[in-house]
Amino acid sequence: MTVRTRFAPSPTGPVHIGNIRTAIYNWLYARHTGGQFLLRLEDTDRERSTPEAVQNVLNALDWLGLSHEEEPLYQSQRREAHLEAAERLLSSGAAYKEDKGGRGQGEAVLFRMPGEDMSFQDIIRGSLRKASKDLPDFVIVRSDGSPVFHLANVVDDIHMTVTHIIRGDDHIENTFRHIALYRALGAEPPRFAHLPMIVNEQGKPYSKRDGAAFVGEFREQGFLPDALFNYLVLLGWSPGDDREVLTRDDMIECFELSRVQSAAARMDVRKLLWMNGEYLRRLPPETVAAECRAVLEARGLWSDSTPDTYYRRVIELMHERLKVFTDIADSGSYFFTEDYPVDEKAARKRLQKEGAAEKLKAIRDRFAALDDFSADALESALRATADAFGVGAGEFIHPVRVAVSGLPGGPGLFEMLELLGKERVLRRIDRALTRPGAA
RNA sequence: GUCCCCAUCGUCUAGAGGCCUAGGACAUCGGGUUUUCAUCCCGAAAACACGGGUUCGAUUCCCGUUGGGGACGCCA
C-alpha cells in the first residue's frame, strides 16, 4: 500500500513555524516512501477561518516547495459526509443522542467509547496507553447540527485514505478517540507519529508576542526557503551522521520518522542565520542581485539610475559578507546613498584619534592628485603615503574606511574606493574632516 | 485537581549495555590567513538532572524524585 500523508491546518491565521515543520515532515516522509502528500484545509470554524489565512497556507507551502498531490480538500464542503457518518454510527449503536444543555436547544450526538483500556504504537513515542476511565464518550455532532473536529477529521482521513498521520503531540490524547472512531466506522486505523513542539528562544511555548514565529516573517526578513527548510528539518531530526547542510534529495533519501526526537526543540535564530549564510553564499550572483534589489527598494535605497555594472560590482563585493538579503541595506547602504549611518564606536577609534585628521587630509590630497583611480593605483598611493609618515598602512586604511563607509569592516578598501569613484570618495573624506569632533 | 508525555554541552543533536577519555554543528573564547569585516584553517572551554535498582559493567534497561510541557470544549 502506498503511503499517503496529509497536512491539515485550520486556516485561522498566519502559518506558524511549528505547523510548517509538521508539513515538512509529512512531505518528506511521503517523498521518502514514494507516496503522496495531501492537503486539507480544516476550515469548519466559521468564525475564525478566513480566505486570507487559506491563501497564507498556500503561499507558505509554495514558498518552501512543499508540493502536494491532488486538489486540496476543504473540510467545510464535507459536511454532508460527516453527518452521514454520524447517522451510521447512530444506527449501529456506536453513537447516541443526549441533551447536555449545550449550544442551541436539542440533543447532541455523542460517540460511545468502547469501554476498555486502549493503546497504540506511535512511530516516534512507542507504546502509548490510556485507561478506559480516562476515555469518556464525547460529542461528535453539536446540538445545532454541526459536526465536531474529531468526527470530521477521522471521516476525512478515511475518505482521503491517509495511511500515516504525522501531527503535533498535542493530539496524542485525541488519538485514542480517533482510533475508536475508525473502528466504529469500519475502517483500519492509520499509523500515527506525534511530533514534539517547537518552543521559542526562551524555551517557552510560542505566543503571539514572540517574533520569529510565522513563516511569513522569515520570508520578510530575507531568509531563504531552502535554508529555513534545512534548519527546520534538523530541529527534531538528524540524518544520523554529521551532515548539517543537506540537499532536498539527501533529506528525502534518508528521512526516517523513527529518528525524530521526542523532546521539544528550541528555536535558535543564530543557527538559522548561519544556515542561511551557507545557502546564500552558494547562490548565483544574479539571484543575490535580484533579491538584494528588492530589499533596497523596500528600504528606499534603490535608484533606477543605478548603473547595472556598478550594481553588479557591489553585489560581487558584498555577496560573501551577507547572511540574509536584508544585510545589504544594513552593511552596504553607503553604496547607494550619501545618507549612510556612521558607526559611533568606529568613528571614535579611527577618526577622532590624535593625528587622524592630519593623515586623512594627507591621503585626501594624494587621492585628489590621482588620474588613475583604480584599486592598484589607490593601494600604491596609500602605501607610499604611509611610508612617508613612517607608519603602517593600517593607520591610513582604517580612517579612510570609516570616513567613506561609516563602518569598521567591509569589502577590500581599494576595490571599494575604486567602485565608489573619485568624486564621492573625496567628498566623503572632506565631510569626515569637517564633522565635529574629527580632530 | 486528574490523566498523559518529555529529560545528553548555552542551543540543535550523535549515542540503541562495554567501541565514551561522551562525537558533530551553531554560539562563545583563543590563534592563523586578510588592510578591516566576512570566508577559510587550527585550537579551547562546555553535557549524560538527581536518587535507587537490574547487571561483571550503565548515558543507554526498570522504578522513584525533581524540573519542563501537553490534554482534560457542543475550538480545531
Side-chain angles (χ1 to χ4, degrees), chain A residues 51-106:
Chain A
E52 294 74 44
V54 171
Q55 197 49 241
N56 193 289
V57 169
L58 265 19
N59 290 346
L61 293 175
D62 183 58
W63 185 60
L64 285 163
L66 295 168
S67 52
H68 59 268
E69 273 75 36
E70 303 176 9
E71 285 302 301
L73 187 76
Y74 287 82
Q75 191 159 64
S76 58
Q77 293 174 5
R78 297 264 308 147
R79 185 186 166 98
E80 292 314 310
H82 303 151
L83 295 178
E84 187 272 332
E87 283 306 320
R88 265 163 50 216
L89 292 172
L90 235 23
S91 55
S92 74
Y96 58 95
K97 291 187 173 176
E98 186 181 301
D99 186 348
K100 289 179 66 187
R103 185 191 291 198
Q105 47 282 76

Short mmCIF file of all heavy atoms in Angstrom, two decimals, chain A residues 51-106:
data_model
loop_
_atom_site.label_atom_id
_atom_site.label_comp_id
_atom_site.label_asym_id
_atom_site.label_seq_id
_atom_site.Cartn_x
_atom_site.Cartn_y
_atom_site.Cartn_z
N PRO A 51 -10.44 33.47 4.20
CA PRO A 51 -9.82 33.22 2.89
C PRO A 51 -8.36 33.69 2.88
O PRO A 51 -7.52 33.06 2.24
CB PRO A 51 -10.66 34.08 1.94
CG PRO A 51 -11.94 34.33 2.65
CD PRO A 51 -11.62 34.34 4.10
N GLU A 52 -8.08 34.75 3.60
CA GLU A 52 -6.69 35.25 3.66
C GLU A 52 -5.78 34.19 4.28
O GLU A 52 -4.66 33.96 3.82
CB GLU A 52 -6.60 36.53 4.50
CG GLU A 52 -7.31 37.73 3.93
CD GLU A 52 -8.83 37.61 4.08
OE1 GLU A 52 -9.28 37.21 5.18
OE2 GLU A 52 -9.54 37.91 3.11
N ALA A 53 -6.28 33.56 5.34
CA ALA A 53 -5.48 32.54 6.01
C ALA A 53 -5.26 31.33 5.11
O ALA A 53 -4.19 30.72 5.12
CB ALA A 53 -6.14 32.13 7.32
N VAL A 54 -6.27 31.00 4.32
CA VAL A 54 -6.12 29.89 3.36
C VAL A 54 -5.01 30.24 2.38
O VAL A 54 -4.11 29.44 2.12
CB VAL A 54 -7.44 29.63 2.60
CG1 VAL A 54 -7.19 28.64 1.46
CG2 VAL A 54 -8.50 29.09 3.54
N GLN A 55 -5.06 31.45 1.87
CA GLN A 55 -4.04 31.90 0.93
C GLN A 55 -2.66 31.88 1.56
O GLN A 55 -1.66 31.53 0.94
CB GLN A 55 -4.39 33.32 0.44
CG GLN A 55 -3.66 33.73 -0.81
CD GLN A 55 -3.74 32.68 -1.91
OE1 GLN A 55 -2.73 32.16 -2.35
NE2 GLN A 55 -4.94 32.33 -2.35
N ASN A 56 -2.63 32.25 2.82
CA ASN A 56 -1.37 32.26 3.57
C ASN A 56 -0.77 30.85 3.65
O ASN A 56 0.44 30.67 3.48
CB ASN A 56 -1.65 32.81 4.97
CG ASN A 56 -0.38 33.14 5.71
OD1 ASN A 56 0.36 32.25 6.12
ND2 ASN A 56 -0.10 34.43 5.87
N VAL A 57 -1.61 29.86 3.88
CA VAL A 57 -1.15 28.47 3.93
C VAL A 57 -0.59 28.07 2.57
O VAL A 57 0.51 27.53 2.47
CB VAL A 57 -2.31 27.51 4.30
CG1 VAL A 57 -1.90 26.06 4.09
CG2 VAL A 57 -2.75 27.73 5.74
N LEU A 58 -1.36 28.37 1.53
CA LEU A 58 -0.94 28.01 0.18
C LEU A 58 0.39 28.68 -0.18
O LEU A 58 1.28 28.04 -0.76
CB LEU A 58 -2.04 28.44 -0.82
CG LEU A 58 -3.09 27.43 -1.27
CD1 LEU A 58 -3.21 26.24 -0.34
CD2 LEU A 58 -4.44 28.09 -1.50
N ASN A 59 0.51 29.95 0.17
CA ASN A 59 1.75 30.67 -0.12
C ASN A 59 2.95 30.07 0.61
O ASN A 59 4.03 29.94 0.05
CB ASN A 59 1.62 32.14 0.30
CG ASN A 59 0.67 32.90 -0.60
OD1 ASN A 59 0.31 32.43 -1.68
ND2 ASN A 59 0.27 34.08 -0.16
N ALA A 60 2.74 29.75 1.87
CA ALA A 60 3.84 29.19 2.66
C ALA A 60 4.32 27.87 2.08
O ALA A 60 5.52 27.62 1.96
CB ALA A 60 3.40 29.01 4.12
N LEU A 61 3.37 27.01 1.71
CA LEU A 61 3.73 25.71 1.14
C LEU A 61 4.47 25.90 -0.17
O LEU A 61 5.47 25.24 -0.45
CB LEU A 61 2.47 24.86 0.92
CG LEU A 61 1.74 24.40 2.19
CD1 LEU A 61 0.46 23.68 1.81
CD2 LEU A 61 2.63 23.48 3.02
N ASP A 62 3.97 26.82 -0.97
CA ASP A 62 4.56 27.07 -2.27
C ASP A 62 5.97 27.63 -2.12
O ASP A 62 6.92 27.21 -2.78
CB ASP A 62 3.68 28.07 -3.03
CG ASP A 62 4.23 28.31 -4.43
OD1 ASP A 62 4.34 27.33 -5.17
OD2 ASP A 62 4.57 29.46 -4.74
N TRP A 63 6.12 28.58 -1.21
CA TRP A 63 7.43 29.20 -0.98
C TRP A 63 8.48 28.18 -0.59
O TRP A 63 9.63 28.25 -1.01
CB TRP A 63 7.28 30.27 0.11
CG TRP A 63 8.52 31.07 0.36
CD1 TRP A 63 9.18 31.85 -0.55
CD2 TRP A 63 9.25 31.16 1.57
NE1 TRP A 63 10.27 32.43 0.05
CE2 TRP A 63 10.35 32.03 1.35
CE3 TRP A 63 9.08 30.61 2.85
CZ2 TRP A 63 11.28 32.34 2.34
CZ3 TRP A 63 10.00 30.93 3.83
CH2 TRP A 63 11.09 31.79 3.57
N LEU A 64 8.08 27.22 0.24
CA LEU A 64 9.03 26.21 0.70
C LEU A 64 9.13 25.01 -0.25
O LEU A 64 9.89 24.07 0.01
CB LEU A 64 8.64 25.73 2.10
CG LEU A 64 8.96 26.74 3.20
CD1 LEU A 64 8.19 26.41 4.47
CD2 LEU A 64 10.45 26.76 3.50
N GLY A 65 8.40 25.05 -1.33
CA GLY A 65 8.47 23.95 -2.28
C GLY A 65 7.81 22.68 -1.79
O GLY A 65 8.22 21.58 -2.15
N LEU A 66 6.79 22.82 -0.96
CA LEU A 66 6.09 21.64 -0.45
C LEU A 66 4.89 21.34 -1.35
O LEU A 66 3.75 21.67 -1.03
CB LEU A 66 5.63 21.89 1.00
CG LEU A 66 6.78 22.08 2.01
CD1 LEU A 66 6.25 22.61 3.33
CD2 LEU A 66 7.51 20.77 2.21
N SER A 67 5.19 20.70 -2.46
CA SER A 67 4.15 20.41 -3.44
C SER A 67 3.26 19.27 -2.96
O SER A 67 3.74 18.32 -2.36
CB SER A 67 4.80 20.03 -4.76
OG SER A 67 5.74 18.99 -4.53
N HIS A 68 1.99 19.38 -3.23
CA HIS A 68 1.08 18.31 -2.80
C HIS A 68 0.37 17.67 -4.00
O HIS A 68 0.21 18.29 -5.05
CB HIS A 68 0.03 18.84 -1.81
CG HIS A 68 -0.80 19.96 -2.36
ND1 HIS A 68 -0.45 21.28 -2.19
CD2 HIS A 68 -1.94 19.95 -3.08
CE1 HIS A 68 -1.36 22.03 -2.79
NE2 HIS A 68 -2.27 21.26 -3.35
N GLU A 69 -0.05 16.43 -3.80
CA GLU A 69 -0.78 15.72 -4.83
C GLU A 69 -2.27 16.03 -4.66
O GLU A 69 -2.72 16.32 -3.56
CB GLU A 69 -0.58 14.20 -4.69
CG GLU A 69 0.65 13.68 -5.42
CD GLU A 69 1.95 14.02 -4.68
OE1 GLU A 69 1.93 14.00 -3.44
OE2 GLU A 69 2.96 14.31 -5.35
N GLU A 70 -3.00 15.94 -5.74
CA GLU A 70 -4.47 16.08 -5.74
C GLU A 70 -4.89 17.48 -5.32
O GLU A 70 -4.09 18.28 -4.85
CB GLU A 70 -5.11 15.01 -4.84
CG GLU A 70 -4.71 13.60 -5.27
CD GLU A 70 -5.25 12.52 -4.34
OE1 GLU A 70 -6.08 12.82 -3.48
OE2 GLU A 70 -4.82 11.36 -4.51
N GLU A 71 -6.16 17.75 -5.49
CA GLU A 71 -6.69 19.06 -5.11
C GLU A 71 -6.83 19.14 -3.60
O GLU A 71 -7.14 18.15 -2.95
CB GLU A 71 -8.07 19.27 -5.76
CG GLU A 71 -8.01 19.57 -7.24
CD GLU A 71 -7.18 20.81 -7.52
OE1 GLU A 71 -7.53 21.89 -7.00
OE2 GLU A 71 -6.15 20.70 -8.24
N PRO A 72 -6.61 20.32 -3.03
CA PRO A 72 -6.80 20.45 -1.59
C PRO A 72 -8.25 20.16 -1.24
O PRO A 72 -9.16 20.52 -2.00
CB PRO A 72 -6.48 21.92 -1.32
CG PRO A 72 -5.71 22.39 -2.50
CD PRO A 72 -6.18 21.56 -3.66
N LEU A 73 -8.47 19.52 -0.11
CA LEU A 73 -9.84 19.24 0.33
C LEU A 73 -10.24 20.30 1.35
O LEU A 73 -9.51 20.55 2.31
CB LEU A 73 -9.90 17.85 0.98
CG LEU A 73 -11.30 17.35 1.34
CD1 LEU A 73 -12.03 16.90 0.08
CD2 LEU A 73 -11.21 16.23 2.34
N TYR A 74 -11.38 20.93 1.09
CA TYR A 74 -11.89 21.92 2.05
C TYR A 74 -12.90 21.24 2.95
O TYR A 74 -13.95 20.80 2.49
CB TYR A 74 -12.51 23.11 1.31
CG TYR A 74 -11.45 23.98 0.66
CD1 TYR A 74 -10.91 23.62 -0.58
CD2 TYR A 74 -10.96 25.11 1.29
CE1 TYR A 74 -9.92 24.39 -1.17
CE2 TYR A 74 -9.97 25.89 0.71
CZ TYR A 74 -9.46 25.52 -0.53
OH TYR A 74 -8.47 26.27 -1.10
N GLN A 75 -12.59 21.16 4.20
CA GLN A 75 -13.41 20.39 5.12
C GLN A 75 -14.85 20.93 5.21
O GLN A 75 -15.79 20.17 5.41
CB GLN A 75 -12.77 20.39 6.51
CG GLN A 75 -13.40 19.41 7.45
CD GLN A 75 -12.47 19.07 8.59
OE1 GLN A 75 -12.12 19.91 9.39
NE2 GLN A 75 -12.04 17.82 8.65
N SER A 76 -14.99 22.22 5.05
CA SER A 76 -16.33 22.80 5.16
C SER A 76 -17.28 22.25 4.10
O SER A 76 -18.49 22.27 4.27
CB SER A 76 -16.24 24.33 5.05
OG SER A 76 -15.64 24.69 3.83
N GLN A 77 -16.71 21.73 3.01
CA GLN A 77 -17.55 21.20 1.95
C GLN A 77 -17.90 19.73 2.15
O GLN A 77 -18.53 19.10 1.30
CB GLN A 77 -16.86 21.39 0.59
CG GLN A 77 -16.74 22.86 0.24
CD GLN A 77 -15.94 23.09 -1.03
OE1 GLN A 77 -15.53 22.14 -1.70
NE2 GLN A 77 -15.71 24.35 -1.33
N ARG A 78 -17.43 19.19 3.26
CA ARG A 78 -17.64 17.77 3.50
C ARG A 78 -18.69 17.52 4.58
O ARG A 78 -18.85 16.40 5.06
CB ARG A 78 -16.31 17.15 3.93
CG ARG A 78 -15.23 17.23 2.86
CD ARG A 78 -15.15 15.96 2.07
NE ARG A 78 -15.04 14.82 2.96
CZ ARG A 78 -15.55 13.62 2.71
NH1 ARG A 78 -16.20 13.40 1.60
NH2 ARG A 78 -15.41 12.64 3.58
N ARG A 79 -19.41 18.55 4.92
CA ARG A 79 -20.39 18.49 5.99
C ARG A 79 -21.37 17.32 5.84
O ARG A 79 -21.63 16.59 6.81
CB ARG A 79 -21.15 19.81 6.04
CG ARG A 79 -22.12 19.93 7.19
CD ARG A 79 -22.92 21.22 7.03
NE ARG A 79 -24.07 21.24 7.89
CZ ARG A 79 -24.10 21.86 9.07
NH1 ARG A 79 -23.03 22.49 9.51
NH2 ARG A 79 -25.18 21.82 9.82
N GLU A 80 -21.89 17.13 4.64
CA GLU A 80 -22.86 16.05 4.42
C GLU A 80 -22.26 14.69 4.75
O GLU A 80 -22.89 13.85 5.37
CB GLU A 80 -23.36 16.06 2.97
CG GLU A 80 -24.23 17.27 2.64
CD GLU A 80 -25.28 17.52 3.73
OE1 GLU A 80 -25.99 16.55 4.11
OE2 GLU A 80 -25.39 18.66 4.21
N ALA A 81 -21.02 14.49 4.31
CA ALA A 81 -20.35 13.20 4.56
C ALA A 81 -20.16 12.98 6.06
O ALA A 81 -20.31 11.87 6.57
CB ALA A 81 -19.00 13.17 3.85
N HIS A 82 -19.83 14.07 6.76
CA HIS A 82 -19.61 13.96 8.20
C HIS A 82 -20.92 13.55 8.89
O HIS A 82 -20.94 12.67 9.76
CB HIS A 82 -19.12 15.29 8.78
CG HIS A 82 -17.86 15.79 8.13
ND1 HIS A 82 -17.54 17.12 8.02
CD2 HIS A 82 -16.84 15.12 7.54
CE1 HIS A 82 -16.39 17.25 7.40
NE2 HIS A 82 -15.94 16.05 7.09
N LEU A 83 -22.00 14.21 8.49
CA LEU A 83 -23.29 13.94 9.12
C LEU A 83 -23.80 12.55 8.77
O LEU A 83 -24.41 11.86 9.59
CB LEU A 83 -24.31 15.01 8.71
CG LEU A 83 -23.96 16.41 9.23
CD1 LEU A 83 -24.98 17.43 8.74
CD2 LEU A 83 -23.87 16.43 10.75
N GLU A 84 -23.49 12.14 7.54
CA GLU A 84 -23.90 10.80 7.11
C GLU A 84 -23.19 9.75 7.97
O GLU A 84 -23.79 8.74 8.37
CB GLU A 84 -23.57 10.64 5.62
CG GLU A 84 -24.09 9.37 4.98
CD GLU A 84 -23.12 8.21 5.10
OE1 GLU A 84 -21.89 8.46 5.18
OE2 GLU A 84 -23.59 7.07 5.16
N ALA A 85 -21.92 10.00 8.26
CA ALA A 85 -21.15 9.08 9.11
C ALA A 85 -21.77 9.03 10.50
O ALA A 85 -21.86 7.95 11.11
CB ALA A 85 -19.69 9.52 9.18
N ALA A 86 -22.19 10.18 10.99
CA ALA A 86 -22.81 10.22 12.32
C ALA A 86 -24.09 9.38 12.33
O ALA A 86 -24.37 8.66 13.29
CB ALA A 86 -23.11 11.68 12.71
N GLU A 87 -24.84 9.46 11.23
CA GLU A 87 -26.07 8.65 11.13
C GLU A 87 -25.76 7.17 11.22
O GLU A 87 -26.44 6.40 11.88
CB GLU A 87 -26.79 8.94 9.79
CG GLU A 87 -27.56 10.25 9.76
CD GLU A 87 -28.55 10.38 10.92
OE1 GLU A 87 -29.22 9.36 11.26
OE2 GLU A 87 -28.65 11.48 11.50
N ARG A 88 -24.70 6.79 10.50
CA ARG A 88 -24.30 5.38 10.53
C ARG A 88 -23.94 4.93 11.93
O ARG A 88 -24.31 3.85 12.38
CB ARG A 88 -23.11 5.16 9.60
CG ARG A 88 -23.55 4.68 8.21
CD ARG A 88 -22.47 4.85 7.16
NE ARG A 88 -21.18 4.31 7.55
CZ ARG A 88 -20.01 4.85 7.23
NH1 ARG A 88 -19.99 5.95 6.50
NH2 ARG A 88 -18.89 4.31 7.63
N LEU A 89 -23.21 5.79 12.63
CA LEU A 89 -22.81 5.44 13.99
C LEU A 89 -24.03 5.34 14.89
O LEU A 89 -24.11 4.48 15.76
CB LEU A 89 -21.82 6.50 14.53
CG LEU A 89 -20.46 6.53 13.84
CD1 LEU A 89 -19.64 7.73 14.30
CD2 LEU A 89 -19.69 5.23 14.11
N LEU A 90 -24.98 6.22 14.62
CA LEU A 90 -26.22 6.23 15.40
C LEU A 90 -26.98 4.91 15.19
O LEU A 90 -27.42 4.27 16.14
CB LEU A 90 -27.08 7.41 14.94
CG LEU A 90 -27.61 8.47 15.92
CD1 LEU A 90 -26.79 8.55 17.20
CD2 LEU A 90 -27.63 9.82 15.21
N SER A 91 -27.07 4.51 13.93
CA SER A 91 -27.88 3.32 13.66
C SER A 91 -27.15 2.03 14.06
O SER A 91 -27.79 1.03 14.32
CB SER A 91 -28.30 3.27 12.19
OG SER A 91 -27.17 3.36 11.36
N SER A 92 -25.83 2.08 14.13
CA SER A 92 -25.12 0.88 14.57
C SER A 92 -25.03 0.82 16.09
O SER A 92 -24.54 -0.14 16.67
CB SER A 92 -23.71 0.85 13.98
OG SER A 92 -22.88 1.80 14.62
N GLY A 93 -25.48 1.89 16.74
CA GLY A 93 -25.45 1.90 18.20
C GLY A 93 -24.14 2.41 18.77
O GLY A 93 -23.93 2.44 19.98
N ALA A 94 -23.22 2.82 17.89
CA ALA A 94 -21.92 3.32 18.36
C ALA A 94 -22.05 4.77 18.85
O ALA A 94 -21.13 5.29 19.47
CB ALA A 94 -20.89 3.23 17.25
N ALA A 95 -23.18 5.38 18.53
CA ALA A 95 -23.40 6.74 18.99
C ALA A 95 -24.82 6.88 19.50
O ALA A 95 -25.67 6.05 19.19
CB ALA A 95 -23.13 7.73 17.86
N TYR A 96 -25.06 7.90 20.29
CA TYR A 96 -26.40 8.10 20.84
C TYR A 96 -26.65 9.59 21.02
O TYR A 96 -25.71 10.39 21.02
CB TYR A 96 -26.54 7.38 22.18
CG TYR A 96 -25.52 7.82 23.22
CD1 TYR A 96 -25.83 8.81 24.17
CD2 TYR A 96 -24.25 7.24 23.25
CE1 TYR A 96 -24.90 9.22 25.11
CE2 TYR A 96 -23.32 7.64 24.19
CZ TYR A 96 -23.64 8.63 25.12
OH TYR A 96 -22.72 9.03 26.03
N LYS A 97 -27.93 9.95 21.16
CA LYS A 97 -28.27 11.35 21.33
C LYS A 97 -28.50 11.68 22.80
O LYS A 97 -28.97 10.84 23.56
CB LYS A 97 -29.53 11.68 20.53
CG LYS A 97 -29.30 11.63 19.03
CD LYS A 97 -30.51 12.12 18.28
CE LYS A 97 -30.19 12.24 16.79
NZ LYS A 97 -31.38 12.64 16.01
N GLU A 98 -28.14 12.88 23.13
CA GLU A 98 -28.34 13.28 24.52
C GLU A 98 -28.36 14.80 24.60
O GLU A 98 -27.67 15.48 23.86
CB GLU A 98 -27.20 12.73 25.39
CG GLU A 98 -27.40 12.97 26.89
CD GLU A 98 -26.25 12.42 27.71
OE1 GLU A 98 -25.97 11.21 27.63
OE2 GLU A 98 -25.60 13.23 28.40
N ASP A 99 -29.16 15.31 25.50
CA ASP A 99 -29.20 16.75 25.70
C ASP A 99 -28.30 17.11 26.87
O ASP A 99 -28.61 16.83 28.02
CB ASP A 99 -30.63 17.21 25.98
CG ASP A 99 -30.71 18.73 26.03
OD1 ASP A 99 -29.63 19.37 26.08
OD2 ASP A 99 -31.83 19.25 26.02
N LYS A 100 -27.17 17.66 26.55
CA LYS A 100 -26.23 18.04 27.62
C LYS A 100 -26.31 19.53 27.91
O LYS A 100 -25.48 20.10 28.60
CB LYS A 100 -24.79 17.68 27.21
CG LYS A 100 -24.54 16.18 27.21
CD LYS A 100 -23.11 15.84 26.77
CE LYS A 100 -22.08 16.34 27.76
NZ LYS A 100 -20.70 16.17 27.24
N GLY A 101 -27.34 20.15 27.35
CA GLY A 101 -27.54 21.57 27.62
C GLY A 101 -26.46 22.46 27.03
O GLY A 101 -25.98 23.39 27.66
N GLY A 102 -26.08 22.17 25.79
CA GLY A 102 -25.02 22.95 25.17
C GLY A 102 -25.55 23.94 24.17
O GLY A 102 -26.62 24.51 24.34
N ARG A 103 -24.79 24.14 23.14
CA ARG A 103 -25.11 25.10 22.09
C ARG A 103 -26.49 24.79 21.47
O ARG A 103 -26.80 23.67 21.13
CB ARG A 103 -24.04 25.01 21.00
CG ARG A 103 -24.20 26.04 19.92
CD ARG A 103 -23.26 25.72 18.77
NE ARG A 103 -21.86 25.92 19.13
CZ ARG A 103 -20.89 26.04 18.22
NH1 ARG A 103 -21.18 25.99 16.94
NH2 ARG A 103 -19.65 26.20 18.61
N GLY A 104 -27.29 25.79 21.30
CA GLY A 104 -28.61 25.61 20.72
C GLY A 104 -29.46 24.73 21.63
O GLY A 104 -29.00 24.25 22.66
N GLN A 105 -30.73 24.50 21.24
CA GLN A 105 -31.52 23.60 22.07
C GLN A 105 -31.65 22.28 21.36
O GLN A 105 -31.46 22.18 20.16
CB GLN A 105 -32.90 24.19 22.39
CG GLN A 105 -33.63 24.76 21.19
CD GLN A 105 -33.10 26.13 20.81
OE1 GLN A 105 -32.05 26.22 20.20
NE2 GLN A 105 -33.82 27.17 21.15
N GLY A 106 -31.86 21.24 22.10
CA GLY A 106 -31.99 19.93 21.49
C GLY A 106 -30.82 19.04 21.83
O GLY A 106 -30.01 19.37 22.69
#
